[in-house]
Structure formats: structure tokens, C-alpha cells
Amino acid sequence: MAEDLRTERKGRILAVRDLPTLPKVLEEVSKLVERPDSTTEQVAKLISMDQVLSAKVLKMVNSPVYGFPGRISSIGHALVLLGFNVLRSIIVSTSVFEVMTENMVGLWEHSLGCAMACGSVARMLKLKDAEEYAVAGLLHDLGKVVATVQLPDLKSEIEQTVAERDISYLEAERAVMGFGHDRINAWLADHWKLPANIKEGLSYHHKPHLAQLYPEMACVVHIGDFMARVFEYGFSGDVGVNYLQPEALKILKIRPADFEKLLDELSDQFVELADLRFT
Amino acid sequence: MPAAPLCAFTRTQKILVLSPDPELAALFAAAFTPAEAEVVVQTRGKGAIEALFTDPPDMLVVDAKLADIPGLDLVAMIKSENVYRQLPVALIMDESRLSPDIDWCAAEVDELLTRPMTAAMLRSRVTLALARATRSLDANPLTKLPGNTSIIGRIQDLIDRQEDFALAYADLDYFKSFNDKYGFSRGDEVLMMTARIIVNTVRAVGGPRAFVGHVGGDDFVYIMAIDRVEEACASVVASFDNIVPHFYDTEDRDRGFIQSVDREGNRRAFPLMAISIAVVFNRDGRLKHFGEASQTAMTLKKKAKENPKSCYVLDKRHG
């Protein structure tokens, strides 16, 4: 791919102004924020189910205007620091998808499923700040959403390539755009000054063994992504399950017995999650 | 007009007017009561400069019509001295003399008054200029929260009106050791974070009438209704304790303490930062002066500091 085309596309990606989300989610969050008795915890819980709102909140709180860029990875902390006033402006500036395709809903559910699985893995391993692993899981496919919004003309070409050449969505992205959503994630994380642990989870979830700074984060997101596919919750763009990097299990010291325990626990949680209807 | 100072100023404002125009002097006399502003009019510029430097007023009004020195030159002379830079200066001139040749970017005046002028317009513009100067001078340069002058003014005003209120003083424990180890800019991050927590919590709990000020360094003040202050304190403490560990490097955070140097120069371990809050109440007009409030708060603060963890202490005597 010609370097200038790549630079031009990167520019278009980073110029993203508004990311749309599902109408139902936005409606629920707006209602909660307007109620005088709502607590930060309630609102944080709801926002933690939506990748677009979560990304916007983290982008805002880590912006240099507030004076502590790259420090906040938790939605709850972000809401305490931003306040409901700023949150309202984020809600107002968020649009909804005018046309709801099945794929958009599918990606939304896949992200939520991945977030939940990441949280469970982190808690099982007794990692500090399990919530931050869930945040990285929620945002791991943000690059796909941004690409859809900013490079809409390439979206159908990617999907077509997946179907015709029987390759993964990531490989198709690289074939069509010249870069994958993992790379887009890294650009966005830098541009929005997201904390380094979140950035690593977002940009290395397909190659967790190569993560340098926060290998645990990358490995947890990798496994969360895998689990959401195993339980067939939502749709990531690929039919079937991705390759589970054995190194991820090794780095996290997950034994086969742990893995079974995890599968049991997640199967209950995915059943519960399936009862939630946001679409 | 009321026999009280302007805005929230605790005293009469001194305004020095340098103008040969008797009409302008008359307008000032009509615009302000003697309690609001003590207006001194001098007709010559050069003679006023020495007095201006030794006993600066709260505001200076310079007439472009001064015979002995061009108005803008006089302004430049004053503004080039760092200690007088914050003095608000208004230039008054005939509107008909406004020309495109005047270099307003280089003119260090803070307000422009034009003739013809009315007493009402003069009062509005001069009051605004005084209030604006106080705000921008007083605001904390880091957090932009109101500083000491506004804080004292607000407290004294509430005391004078005998309103019930709770006054909370908050500061950080082990902030100095954090600053020493990580440097000033990381310290500033923590102060910005603390300010944000306090502002949001106090606004959410205390409503729009609540007030937050930044005394300086790691000292903050907030004023709100008596019945909600404990809730706000508990919430500030909880949020601070949750968030502050993220401002440390991972190793220090996992260890739970940092190695730094104390005031005597000895290396020792310091716990993670905590927030201490002391709350003083004014009920039934018991407090007479701002000093009483701050003194009580300082005594309580010592008590709060005995606890190395974040905590708040309420003034039991009238709590």
C-alpha cells in the first residue's frame, strides 16, 4: 500500500468527531442521568455496557484540559472526575445509528460479551483493578466501529473479502485498508491519550505474546475475545472462533483446571447477559 | 444607593482619576457612593506618578486628554513594573477620536471608556473592570478556582448576613513527599484531580449555591449547607482514596508506600496520599469574623491529621 494513501486514511480515522451508538442505550443513560437520585455507580454500570460512550468518557477525562492525561482507565473514576454536567454534554453530542444493521448490533453485543469475560478472567486471576480489564475488553474492537464510520466505502469491501477469500476479518482489513483494527486502536489510544494499559490491551489483543508493557492486559483481552466467540454471543465480523494463542495462557499461568472453571462460570454469565435487551 | 462596598469587596475601593476634565469628576461623584469608592481626581499626569507608585489605588482611570503626558505612555510606564501589572487601568477618550491608527494590541489598558459618557455607564464599566481584575488576579493559576480574596470575601459575607453554613478545609497528607519523588508536574496532576473531585462532589451534593475555593498548594476550601456537608465529605474521601493510587507508578502502588526524603533530609517510607477535611459550622450567627472560622478549622485539622488515612472531622461544639 502506498504510504500516502495510508497516511491519508489514518488522518481520516483520527478526524472522527462522533461515534454513533444504539438508540436504546443512549436513551437509558440519558434517563438515568436526568434522575436526581441517580448515583455515579449506577451510571457507570450502564455506560460500561457501551463501547462508544465508554470510549468518549475516557477520551474526555484523559484530555489535557483536565490536567491528568493518560491516568484514568476506569469509567467510575472518570465519571467522578467529569461530573454529570460534562456527561450530559457527551450524551447530547452522541448520535445514534440511523440504520441499524445486524452487524452493528452484533459487534455491540460481542464487545459487551468480551468485556464481561475479561472482567471474569481478571477476577479469577486476582489481578488488580479487574474493571480496567473489562474496559479494555469493551473497547477492543473500537477500531472496527471507527473504520465503519470514517471509511464507510471500505466496509462492504472488507466484508466481501472475508466471504470470498475465507479469511479472518482482521486479515481482510489489512488486505483492503492496509492496516487492521488493532492498528487503528493504537492510533486512537495515542490520539485520545488513553492510559498505556488500555492501549496495550486494545492494540495487542490479536498478538498478546508480543505486548511489552502490559502483557497481562493483552492476554486477558485475547482470551475474553475468544470466549465471546466460543459462547457465540454477538458477532465480531468472523464466523467461528479465532486461534487461541497458547502463550496467552502461559503468560497468565492459567492451568487446564482453571480454564474449565472459567468456562463454567462464563456459561452462567452469558446466559444472564442474553436476557438483557438493548436493541 | 446603599452605604455598602461594591460587589463582595470588603472595603471601599480607591479609584485614581487622572483627568483635566471637570465633567468626568462630576460623573464619578454621581456614579459611586463614598462607601463604594473613594475617587481622587488629579488634573496632571506627571505629578500623580509618584503617589501612584507609593500608594497604588484599586483602579486607575487615565484621560487621553492629559496635557503633560500622553495617556498611553503613562499606562505603559505603570504596566512595565511587575508589581503594578495587576492594577486595572481604564483609558477614557472621545469616541470621535477613536482611529484605526491606535495600536490596541500594544496598549496595556484593561478597559476603554468613551465620551460622551453617562454616570450609569461609568458605574457599570468601572464596577465590571474592578470585579474582573479581582477574579483573574485571585483565581488559582493551576485549577482556576477562586483564591484567597474570594474565599475570605465569601465567608465574611455569609457571616455578616448571619447565614447558616458549613465551611470545610481540605488538604492532602504526604503531598510533599509525592512532589519530591515524582516532580512538580506529577504533583500538579494530583491537585487537578483533587480539585475535580471536590468541585463535582460539592456541586452534586450541595447544589449550585455551594462554593469551592483553592487557597493554594494542596489546600482547598468548600462552603455548603450544614445538613449535606457530611455526605459530601464522605464522598470526597471515598473518591480520593479510590483514584489517587492511579497517580503513582505501578511498583510504588503495589508496595503501598514511596521512598522519599523528609523535612530533615532523612530517607524514609511515606504512605500513599490521603485527604484530611476539617468542617466548621456557623449556626445562628455564632461566628463574628472570618478569623474565628479559620482558627477553629486549623485546630480540627490537627485532629484530622493524627489519622494517617483519609478522614474528616466535624466541629463537635456546634455540629
Side-chain angles (χ1 to χ4, degrees), chain B residues 10-285:
Chain B
T10 48
R11 55 177 178 76
T12 304
Q13 297 293 291
K14 266 172 41 188
I15 302 175
L16 177 61
V17 181
L18 305 181
S19 170
D21 177 7
E23 220 174 282
L24 184 63
L27 277 178
F28 265 101
F32 295 99
T33 66
E36 289 172 337
E38 175 197 338
V39 182
V40 177
V41 182
Q42 300 207 11
T43 52
R44 290 177 55 83
K46 282 181 179 162
I49 292 173
E50 198 192 326
L52 187 63
F53 278 7
T54 47
D55 183 22
D58 297 298
M59 181 163 177
L60 175 67
V61 179
V62 179
D63 199 325
K65 279 187 188 156
L66 277 177
D68 53 345
I69 180 169
L72 283 177
D73 287 6
L74 190 130
V75 172
M77 202 185 288
I78 295 157
K79 288 281 186 175
S80 62
E81 294 297 321
N82 71 309
V83 288
Y84 304 114
R85 280 198 69 79
Q86 77 276 19
L87 170 67
V89 175
L91 183 75
I92 181 156
M93 61 190 294
D94 294 346
E95 195 176 344
S96 56
R97 302 286 293 268
L98 280 175
S99 82
D101 302 335
I102 305 173
D103 182 3
W104 291 112
C105 300
E108 291 192 273
V109 295
D110 305 284
E111 181 66 76
L112 176 69
L113 307 169
T114 51
R115 271 179 291 248
M117 170 63 67
T118 63
M121 181 60 95
L122 186 71
R123 179 180 168 83
S124 313
R125 313 260 313 238
V126 169
T127 306
L128 266 178
L130 278 164
R132 183 168 54 226
T134 313
R135 263 198 313 268
S136 54
L137 176 66
D138 185 47
N140 182 280
L142 179 69
T143 60
K144 313 284 187 284
L145 286 169
N148 266 321
T149 310
S150 309
I151 295 169
I152 295 170
R154 177 67 72 112
I155 296 170
Q156 192 59 51
D157 184 45
L158 287 169
I159 289 175
D160 291 346
R161 287 194 276 130
Q162 306 206 337
E163 269 188 44
D164 286 2
F165 65 89
L167 165 66
Y169 275 81
D171 76 352
L172 306 185
D173 307 346
Y174 313 113
F175 176 69
K176 189 186 172 301
S177 46
F178 180 91
N179 239 345
D180 289 346
K181 164 141 199 201
Y182 288 108
F184 288 113
S185 68
R186 292 277 292 267
D188 284 352
E189 288 187 359
V190 173
L191 296 178
M192 287 293 275
M193 177 271 283
T194 308
R196 236 12 240 180
I197 290 179
I198 294 177
V199 166
N200 284 330
T201 309
V202 168
R203 191 166 51 194
V205 178
R209 290 198 56 214
F211 170 91
V212 180
H214 188 171
V215 178
D218 59 327
D219 286 301
F220 294 89
V221 162
Y222 53 94
I223 303 169
M224 55 189 289
I226 289 176
D227 57 332
R228 303 297 299 274
V229 73
E230 185 162 8
E231 184 188 344
C233 291
S235 177
V236 166
V237 164
S239 297
F240 184 86
D241 285 351
N242 273 328
I243 295 174
V244 82
H246 296 262
F247 286 70
Y248 287 82
D249 289 348
T250 318
E251 312 82 69
D252 286 338
R253 205 185 137 191
D254 291 346
R255 230 182 276 136
F257 61 86
I258 62 168
Q259 290 288 347
S260 193
V261 180
D262 67 15
R263 286 175 209 273
E264 279 75 46
N266 308 310
R267 276 193 74 75
R268 51 166 280 214
F270 292 90
L272 298 193
M273 281 178 279
I275 191 163
S276 301
I277 310 173
V279 186
V280 183
F281 298 98
N282 185 38
R283 282 187 206 277
D284 310 320

Side-chain angles (χ1 to χ4, degrees), chain A residues 220-231:
Chain A
V220 168
V221 178
H222 179 72
I223 293 172
D225 188 16
F226 175 81
M227 288 297 183
R229 294 167 193 243
V230 166
F231 285 96

Side-chain angles (χ1 to χ4, degrees), chain A residues 258-272:
Chain A
D258 298 329
F259 202 76
E260 277 177 35
K261 209 179 99 196
L262 185 64
L263 283 168
D264 286 344
E265 196 188 312
L266 286 178
S267 84
D268 292 341
Q269 291 184 13
F270 273 108
V271 169
E272 263 179 57

